[in-house]
Amino acid sequence: AYAVAWANVVSEPAERARVFVRAADYATRADKEASALKALRLASESAPDDPGVLERLARLLAQRGDADGAVRAVRSAATLYRE
């Protein structure tokens, strides 16, 4: 909730994504994978053209056992890297 409130103050989509990525990092360190996943999904919605965010999302999805979601995120990231 705190990250969402802070991100709402930021108008630049890339900066909003960075706020969510940082929140995901903190949540991961605190062993709150569900919060980290939510933050990374919000980051990818804020900056859908950022392949780095999609890579992070793919890693977390894979760690959680969501192979299909991880593959989708990796494919999207790979497409963005090729563009």
Side-chain angles (χ1 to χ4, degrees):
Y2 179 76
V4 172
W6 181 250
N8 286 333
V9 174
V10 179
S11 61
E12 175 69 31
E15 187 62 31
R16 285 174 56 93
R18 281 192 285 278
V19 169
F20 288 127
V21 167
R22 284 194 177 135
D25 289 343
Y26 293 133
T28 299
R29 281 187 240 138
D31 289 328
K32 296 183 177 186
E33 284 187 356
S35 294
L37 183 58
K38 180 179 179 180
L40 286 175
R41 285 195 169 133
L42 290 169
S44 69
E45 290 171 12
S46 295
D49 59 342
D50 185 338
V53 171
L54 290 168
E55 283 184 71
R56 286 174 179 252
L57 178 59
R59 267 182 275 166
L60 186 57
L61 288 168
Q63 288 173 356
R64 292 178 57 103
D66 182 355
D68 292 336
V71 168
R72 278 192 303 274
V74 162
R75 285 184 176 157
S76 295
T79 298
L80 290 171
Y81 278 125
R82 283 191 296 262
E83 293 177 350

